[in-house]
Amino acid sequence: MELANYIETAMKSILKNPIYEVLSEIKITKILKQSNFVKREVGYPPFQIILHFLYMLIMQKRQSTFIKNSDKAYGKDVYYRFIKEKRYNWRKLLLLSATEILKKIKTLHKNGEYRLLIIDDTVEPKRGKFIEGTCKYIWSNKEHRSINALNIVSLNYAASHSTFQVDFSIRFWDFF
């Protein structure tokens, strides 16, 4: 708890920006703990790494470019290990974050405005013979034929003010 307070105090004094304010508003440190994003004895705090990923996303920078241009970036292996860590529950993190955001934006909605849950099954084509998780025989409505691809099923929330992903699943269809 002491480390979390230290990080929060440091971040408030260093970074006064909308990204950090939104993360604080939805209580991201609590959500990270509930999703098993807990720092071990060595390494960097998961909150810091998530913050770096958000900056990469917002600045539309690839990881390599971010590392080259930022003096606060960690080594590339830190980000790769973070993504591959099996004990982190990414789906729970997404769901709890979306729930908190929904609570915050609920006040923006007026009576009579539509709020929708959209189920989308996207077929993402992949090139190459042996790509892990792909199937050779997924029907693509775009290509009008069976292709080598991943099938990503997502649950999205849409309203007049916002659209965001609530949950997802990557479907593996290995029939043959």
Side-chain angles (χ1 to χ4, degrees), residues 95-173:
L95 186 60
L96 291 174
S97 301
T99 303
E100 285 300 316
I101 291 170
L102 276 172
K103 287 179 191 175
K104 299 296 178 188
I105 65 171
K106 188 177 181 181
T107 58
L108 297 173
H109 294 240
K110 297 178 182 130
N111 289 338
E113 286 184 336
Y114 290 106
R115 294 182 295 266
L116 308 168
L117 287 176
I118 302 167
I119 298 173
D120 178 41
D121 65 331
T122 300
V123 174
E124 186 64 38
K126 295 294 176 189
R127 306 236 185 270
K129 249 183 179 176
F130 302 106
I131 298 174
E132 186 179 348
T134 62
C135 181
K136 294 178 187 175
Y137 305 107
I138 295 180
W139 181 259
S140 170
N141 287 323
K142 183 178 174 184
E143 304 275 335
H144 300 290
R145 63 184 176 94
S146 294
I147 61 172
N148 187 22
L150 287 172
N151 188 8
I152 304 166
V153 180
S154 62
L155 177 65
N156 304 295
Y157 171 84
S160 56
H161 299 288
S162 56
T163 302
F164 55 90
Q165 192 174 50
V166 177
D167 198 8
F168 71 96
S169 179
I170 299 175
R171 307 300 305 166
F172 302 106
W173 304 104

Side-chain angles (χ1 to χ4, degrees), residues 36-37 40 49-50 53 63 76-90 132:
N36 208 23
F37 284 77
R40 291 187 176 175
I49 299 171
I50 294 266
F53 278 124
Q63 182 179 315
K76 67 178 172 115
D77 291 342
V78 171
Y79 300 110
Y80 288 125
R81 277 193 305 268
F82 184 77
I83 290 170
K84 289 184 177 185
E85 180 61 55
K86 292 187 185 332
R87 64 189 169 103
Y88 297 155
N89 191 338
W90 289 95
E132 186 179 348

